[in-house]
Amino acid sequence: MRPELIARAAQQGGLVTRRQAIRAGYRERELRTLTATHGAWVPVRRGVYVDRSLWEALDETGQWTLRDRAAHLTMTKPHVMSHDSAARLLGLEMLNAKRPLSHIVRPGVGGSRTEHGVKHHLSRVSPREVETVDGIRVTGLARTALDIGREHGFEAGAVAVDGAMRRGVTRKQLVEELELMENWPHITSSRAAVDVGDAGAETVGETMARLLVLELGIGRPSTQFAVSIRSGVAWCDLRVGCHVFEFDGRIKYHRVVNGGVADRPVEDVLWDERQRQQEICALGLGMSRIIWSDFYGAARDRARHRLREEYTVTERRYGSELPEGLARFAEEMQGKRCAG
């Protein structure tokens, strides 16, 4: 890109419009060459382009964020980015949508409609529900999480609500937003998500694991349960009674250079994990492990059966009441965690 266009792209997340390129001196023939298949520029949206090297370096979420920004650049009417688009711009984790779209809220829309990959929603947005990200107006965290629940259902809503609460949104704030959305379509999904919301879920996988454990009918699990082991404090993802549940995402077994979080060979990670589990169970606790594939289809039924049986074995062996010493230590550490 020419220097003046590079400056403009830097202000727009890497994007430039056709009109801006022409103003910078590009001719139609140049633009056709640049935006051709395998050209130097990728058309993100009609009339909006990004350098191919930047586009190809982004993951799916990053590419969809550019699509959201491109939609914003081409809008001529007042609007606020919402739902999935607001979540991406705010950095709010969410479940992958079956049919990804960009979303906006604006007045004058007769219900919801989708045009050219953008879903237009008609709903009220008050100034206190709006934030600005890089010059783009977006719905705030609480409103966005609730909109995702209405758009994609309970599980997606629970993931978004947990993410918002991790970012400091309180249950009170979520309830206040719910009151403003009374009788809106599909609000019951968002209301249910708020009921089970928990800031202690540190990842999407931990939220999904908590929902699975809730289906066992053994009680509401507590999150981030702390125990003392030789290497220090171990934080268990979930606990009910004397049984803990750990979610294992593949990312922790992949090296950092491969997009994971492991800073040492996978065999060392697995060995430390096995040692950690042995020390936790030696305290008088049972443990179950949950993986991503346990969440869907027939595997979910099998996982529920397995987890219920494992919990029952623990209950028979240790009872359902947590020993006083373990309960006291966990409470102390939780206090320090919240204070930190």
Side-chain angles (χ1 to χ4, degrees), residues 240-270:
V240 179
C242 296
H243 197 82
V244 297
F245 301 84
E246 292 277 88
F247 171 72
D248 295 321
R250 295 189 66 168
I251 190 171
K252 70 180 181 181
Y253 304 116
H254 290 182
R255 300 296 293 269
V256 173
V257 294
N258 296 321
V261 297
D263 57 1
R264 56 195 189 284
V266 66
E267 56 267 25
D268 292 343
V269 175
L270 289 168

Side-chain angles (χ1 to χ4, degrees), residues 127-147:
R128 73 179 182 85
E129 297 170 316
V130 176
E131 299 182 20
T132 301
V133 178
D134 295 334
I136 302 175
R137 298 175 73 231
V138 303
T139 52
L141 282 169
R143 167 67 184 270
T144 298
L146 299 179
D147 278 342

Side-chain angles (χ1 to χ4, degrees), residues 1-17 20 49-51 54 66 69 73 133-136:
M1 289 187 183
R2 294 170 186 168
E4 59 268 36
L5 205 57
I6 290 175
R8 173 66 70 177
Q11 299 170 357
Q12 299 173 164
L15 299 170
V16 294
T17 66
Q20 291 166 348
Y49 317 115
V50 67
D51 187 272
L54 172 58
L66 282 189
R69 290 178 177 273
L73 283 175
V133 178
D134 295 334
I136 302 175

Side-chain angles (χ1 to χ4, degrees), residues 21-43:
I22 290 173
R23 286 177 179 171
Y26 286 88
R27 297 178 180 274
E28 290 292 340
R29 185 174 179 180
E30 287 181 280
L31 290 178
R32 284 196 297 270
T33 300
L34 286 167
T35 60
T37 303
H38 306 305
W41 294 359
V42 174

Side-chain angles (χ1 to χ4, degrees), residues 41-199:
W41 294 359
V42 174
V44 177
R45 188 175 179 81
R46 184 175 181 179
V48 185
Y49 317 115
V50 67
D51 187 272
R52 183 172 296 279
S53 61
L54 172 58
W55 177 261
E56 293 179 349
L58 295 171
D59 60 12
E60 185 178 4
T61 298
Q63 291 179 353
W64 265 103
T65 301
L66 282 189
R67 291 188 180 101
D68 297 329
R69 290 178 177 273
H72 166 72
L73 283 175
T74 58
M75 292 284 171
T76 58
K77 295 182 178 180
H79 63 277
V80 176
M81 306 303 289
S82 65
H83 297 71
D84 305 36
S85 297
R88 286 187 286 261
L89 289 164
L90 290 164
L92 178 65
E93 285 189 289
M94 57 181 173
L95 281 179
N96 291 332
K98 293 180 180 178
R99 186 192 174 198
L101 293 168
S102 293
H103 294 258
I104 65 165
V105 175
R106 69 179 182 84
V109 178
S112 296
R113 70 170 188 267
T114 302
E115 296 177 346
H116 309 299
V118 179
K119 189 165 185 178
H120 300 244
H121 302 266
L122 172 63
S123 58
R124 297 183 300 276
V125 180
S126 67
R128 73 179 182 85
E129 297 170 316
V130 176
E131 299 182 20
T132 301
V133 178
D134 295 334
I136 302 175
R137 298 175 73 231
V138 303
T139 52
L141 282 169
R143 167 67 184 270
T144 298
L146 299 179
D147 278 342
I148 287 174
R150 294 194 306 115
E151 183 73 12
H152 300 298
F154 167 67
E155 285 189 347
V159 167
V161 164
D162 282 1
M165 294 179 75
R166 278 197 303 275
R167 299 270 294 273
V169 175
T170 65
R171 197 180 309 276
K172 182 175 181 292
Q173 289 172 313
L174 289 163
V175 170
E176 289 174 350
E177 292 289 342
L178 280 173
E179 291 173 352
L180 297 174
M181 303 163 81
E182 188 176 2
N183 298 323
W184 286 20
H186 312 298
I187 193 62
T188 53
S189 294
S190 297
R191 190 173 291 117
V194 172
D195 287 342
V196 302
D198 194 319

